[in-house]
Amino acid sequence: MTQAALKPTTSPLQQRAVAHFTDLQNRICEAFESLDEDSQFICTPWDKEKTDTLQGSGEMRLMRGKVFEKVGVNFSEVYGEFSDKFAGEIPGTTADDRSFWASGLSLVAHMANPKAPAVHMNIRHIVTAEKAWFGGGADLTPTFAFDEDTAMFHNQLKSACDSYNKDAYTEYKKWCDEYFFLPHRNETRGVGGIFFDYLEKTPEETFAFVQAVGEAFLKSYSSIIERRKDMPFTEEDKKTQLLKRGRYVEFNLLQDRGTRFGLMTGGNTEAILMSLPPEAHW
Amino acid sequence: MTQAALKPTTSPLQQRAVAHFTDLQNRICEAFESLDEDSQFICTPWDKEKTDTLQGSGEMRLMRGKVFEKVGVNFSEVYGEFSDKFAGEIPGTTADDRSFWASGLSLVAHMANPKAPAVHMNIRHIVTAEKAWFGGGADLTPTFAFDEDTAMFHNQLKSACDSYNKDAYTEYKKWCDEYFFLPHRNETRGVGGIFFDYLEKTPEETFAFVQAVGEAFLKSYSSIIERRKDMPFTEEDKKTQLLKRGRYVEFNLLQDRGTRFGLMTGGNTEAILMSLPPEAHW
């Protein structure tokens, strides 16, 4: 295999996806900074030619603030070839062509106030030899669940789904509940959200949907944090949150496909594990 | 499959192994309590008939003390049938008979003083349809490595190995270095120790070796902790330790076969994840 084979030949849709991911990254970081006075994201661009089979670049943005105890908002664009072991699991990969291109925006926020929920959001576009698709999702993980927050988060995501197709919300909510589940604890990660993958038909509509998911996330989560960030809490509440975060770590390292995908394809470890909480207890 | 098929028919060696594991559990807990004044292990016996394919019992012992910030010393004896997915990975399992019996002692200690190293020790006896073997290991994970501690730990384990066979230490040390490695971080978990598995020949000699490993662990680790438990340390040292513990969590949940074996065979989650540190940072 020559290095040339790894050069990305990106379609207009791939270019528009990349432009959207980076624009949304900017807007999310601005919104979060405005919720967390005197705190700022630290940006760490990275560029890797780690192996013969993976190249790419990205930008990690990390804020350790007073409201956002730790939040990572990462953009990446990588391309290369899947290893033998992994290729069989990925749609559109053939025996002759195991190449892939992947770009996405990935976000996890762990909040200082235990009354403020943690959140995850991810949108991505992946292209293999024979297929191209979008995937993503968003889910809310409160330590102390407020019905008002759960309803707002789900309602916003439902609106994004409804504009895409009438069964989307039901289907993607179910997928989320099944995905963000810890079998060894027999418990869900949080109060759910939506999860979707392998959306390869109607790329224009799907891209519009992916954009709507990002907007729904930003609007609802900002509003929830505005409401919760200054709520009073006890030392006991904080301890409860730190134990809940232990479960978050267990999910990410034992179950999460994104983490596994990233680490197995030789991705940027620091960026991938930025999802881990600043502090967790067991 | 009938429940009767799951009844353990234990050999004299299996019974002696169980007796040894529980005796060593007692002696380790006594030794650790004597190093940690006013702190005591909390014993939680468990007995499970969780599924049609797994039964068993055990005793978790957990101490959250002043010296031992969190230490778990767990005994278990489980038996049942491997799932389709797992059976193929286990020696001596046939298409007709996927039954297994497993008993062992498993220990992880996370110390309050960052100058005192964390440690893991595990010894086990496993029986499947066509094979019976011993496995185990011990490895030391200091945040701040002292040559004196590393040498003592290795020397004691080497003595146990030398009495078994002349190549054992070299081989099992190498196995340990390869096993306790975080590929995504390109770093070792700690300063190593020994790791061995599938020892099925000369069962009497092997059982004697497994016992010697337990004694070597108890003697060297008690001595190391005696030396380190009251050493002065800074807040910065503690922070460094909490980040090091994050790596410990990553290893256990991403890499560790024992954790995976336990969770995949429907084992006791609380007992299996007792290895996780009381607090970790990222």
Side-chain angles (χ1 to χ4, degrees):
Chain A
M1 194 188 64
T2 62
Q3 285 289 327
L6 295 171
K7 278 264 173 71
T9 49
T10 53
S11 68
L13 184 59
Q14 284 168 278
Q15 292 165 27
R16 284 162 58 208
V18 164
H20 169 64
F21 297 149
T22 53
D23 171 65
L24 184 59
Q25 184 188 33
N26 285 332
R27 290 191 292 119
I28 289 172
C29 291
E30 277 169 27
F32 287 2
E33 283 180 349
S34 78
L35 285 164
D36 200 341
E37 278 177 49
D38 307 327
S39 300
Q40 281 191 314
F41 277 90
I42 292 171
C43 302
T44 309
W46 54 271
D47 206 317
K48 94 188 307 176
E49 299 190 45
K50 187 183 178 180
T51 64
D52 284 350
T53 53
L54 185 82
Q55 292 186 45
S57 61
E59 187 169 305
M60 297 187 277
R61 297 198 186 172
L62 177 69
M63 179 164 71
R64 291 180 187 266
K66 290 194 186 96
V67 173
F68 290 83
E69 190 175 328
K70 182 182 174 195
V71 55
V73 187
N74 295 336
F75 163 75
S76 69
E77 180 185 6
V78 296
Y79 50 95
E81 293 208 345
F82 287 120
S83 64
D84 286 345
K85 190 178 170 188
F86 214 54
E89 300 180 26
I90 306 292
T93 303
T94 67
D96 291 340
D97 190 344
R98 298 177 306 171
S99 66
F100 74 96
W101 174 97
S103 181
L105 181 65
S106 180
L107 175 157
V108 173
H110 296 282
M111 309 308 292
N113 190 318
K115 302 292 177 70
V119 80
H120 148 260
M121 193 276 291
N122 168 248
I123 47 180
R124 58 188 175 271
H125 185 33
I126 297 180
V127 179
T128 57
E130 297 187 339
K131 288 187 189 290
W133 69 91
F134 286 93
D139 77 299
L140 197 69
T141 308
T143 301
F144 303 96
F146 293 93
D147 291 344
E148 183 188 4
D149 298 350
T150 305
M152 169 177 262
F153 192 73
H154 276 277
N155 288 341
Q156 287 286 340
L157 291 172
K158 184 175 185 303
S159 295
C161 289
D162 288 349
S163 66
Y164 181 50
N165 84 54
K166 67 179 174 46
D167 302 320
Y169 176 69
T170 307
E171 189 182 332
Y172 302 156
K173 178 183 185 300
K174 182 165 174 279
W175 198 342
C176 183
D177 288 339
E178 287 165 359
Y179 182 79
F180 292 108
F181 183 75
L182 289 79
H184 62 287
R185 298 286 189 185
N186 194 32
E187 61 189 45
T188 58
R189 172 155 101 167
V191 298
I194 60 171
F195 184 94
F196 53 95
D197 207 353
Y198 311 122
L199 306 185
E200 51 170 322
K201 291 177 192 163
T202 62
E204 282 301 328
E205 286 83 344
T206 304
F207 182 40
F209 164 61
V210 164
Q211 293 175 70
V213 169
E215 302 307 325
F217 157 78
L218 180 53
K219 188 170 169 186
S220 60
Y221 192 63
S222 299
S223 171
I224 290 166
I225 296 310
E226 185 63 62
R227 260 203 303 275
R228 303 297 162 212
K229 69 188 178 76
D230 300 317
M231 274 188 87
F233 64 90
T234 66
E235 212 171 294
E236 204 53 43
D237 293 339
K238 188 69 192 176
K239 278 187 192 166
T240 305
Q241 182 198 40
L242 292 170
L243 289 170
K244 180 78 179 168
R245 285 197 189 150
R247 302 291 211 264
Y248 210 91
V249 174
E250 290 175 22
F251 181 84
N252 280 21
L253 299 182
L254 286 171
Q255 307 285 139
D256 189 55
R257 294 194 320 178
T259 301
R260 192 162 164 269
F261 179 97
L263 295 176
M264 282 187 69
T265 54
N268 185 313
T269 297
E270 283 298 332
I272 295 162
L273 296 183
M274 197 173 276
S275 62
L276 297 176
E279 178 179 358
H281 287 190
W282 282 273
Chain B
M1 192 191 64
T2 62
Q3 286 289 328
L6 294 172
K7 277 265 174 70
T9 49
T10 52
S11 69
L13 184 59
Q14 284 169 277
Q15 291 165 28
R16 285 161 58 208
V18 165
H20 169 65
F21 297 149
T22 54
D23 171 65
L24 184 59
Q25 184 188 33
N26 285 332
R27 288 189 295 119
I28 288 171
C29 291
E30 278 169 28
F32 286 2
E33 283 180 350
S34 77
L35 285 164
D36 201 341
E37 278 176 50
D38 307 327
S39 299
Q40 281 190 315
F41 277 90
I42 292 170
C43 302
T44 310
W46 54 270
D47 206 318
K48 94 184 310 177
E49 298 190 45
K50 187 182 177 179
T51 65
D52 284 350
T53 53
L54 185 83
Q55 294 186 45
S57 62
E59 186 169 306
M60 297 187 275
R61 296 197 186 173
L62 178 69
M63 178 163 74
R64 292 181 188 265
K66 291 194 187 95
V67 173
F68 290 83
E69 190 174 330
K70 182 183 174 194
V71 53
V73 187
N74 295 337
F75 163 76
S76 69
E77 182 185 4
V78 297
Y79 50 95
E81 293 207 345
F82 287 119
S83 64
D84 286 346
K85 191 178 169 189
F86 213 53
E89 298 180 29
I90 306 293
T93 304
T94 67
D96 292 341
D97 189 345
R98 297 178 305 171
S99 67
F100 74 96
W101 174 95
S103 180
L105 182 64
S106 180
L107 175 156
V108 173
H110 297 281
M111 309 308 292
N113 191 316
K115 302 291 178 71
V119 79
H120 148 260
M121 193 276 292
N122 168 247
I123 47 180
R124 57 187 176 271
H125 186 32
I126 297 181
V127 179
T128 58
E130 297 187 339
K131 288 187 189 291
W133 69 90
F134 286 92
D139 76 300
L140 198 68
T141 307
T143 301
F144 303 96
F146 294 92
D147 291 344
E148 183 187 6
D149 298 352
T150 304
M152 171 178 259
F153 192 74
H154 275 276
N155 287 341
Q156 288 286 340
L157 291 173
K158 185 175 184 303
S159 295
C161 288
D162 288 350
S163 67
Y164 180 50
N165 85 53
K166 67 179 173 49
D167 300 322
Y169 176 70
T170 307
E171 188 181 333
Y172 302 157
K173 178 183 185 300
K174 183 166 175 277
W175 199 341
C176 183
D177 288 340
E178 287 166 0
Y179 182 79
F180 292 108
F181 182 75
L182 290 78
H184 62 287
R185 298 286 190 183
N186 194 31
E187 60 188 44
T188 58
R189 171 155 100 167
V191 296
I194 60 171
F195 185 93
F196 52 96
D197 208 355
Y198 310 122
L199 306 186
E200 51 169 322
K201 291 177 191 163
T202 63
E204 281 301 328
E205 286 82 345
T206 303
F207 182 40
F209 163 62
V210 164
Q211 292 174 71
V213 168
E215 302 306 325
F217 157 78
L218 180 53
K219 189 171 167 184
S220 61
Y221 191 63
S222 297
S223 172
I224 290 166
I225 295 313
E226 184 64 62
R227 261 202 302 276
R228 303 295 163 214
K229 69 189 177 75
D230 300 318
M231 275 187 85
F233 65 90
T234 66
E235 212 172 293
E236 205 52 44
D237 294 338
K238 189 70 192 175
K239 277 187 191 165
T240 305
Q241 182 199 39
L242 293 171
L243 289 171
K244 180 78 179 169
R245 285 194 189 152
R247 302 291 210 266
Y248 210 92
V249 173
E250 289 175 22
F251 181 85
N252 280 20
L253 299 183
L254 286 171
Q255 306 284 139
D256 189 56
R257 294 194 320 179
T259 302
R260 191 163 165 268
F261 179 97
L263 296 176
M264 282 188 69
T265 53
N268 185 312
T269 297
E270 284 296 333
I272 296 162
L273 296 183
M274 198 173 275
S275 64
L276 297 176
E279 178 178 357
H281 287 192
W282 281 272

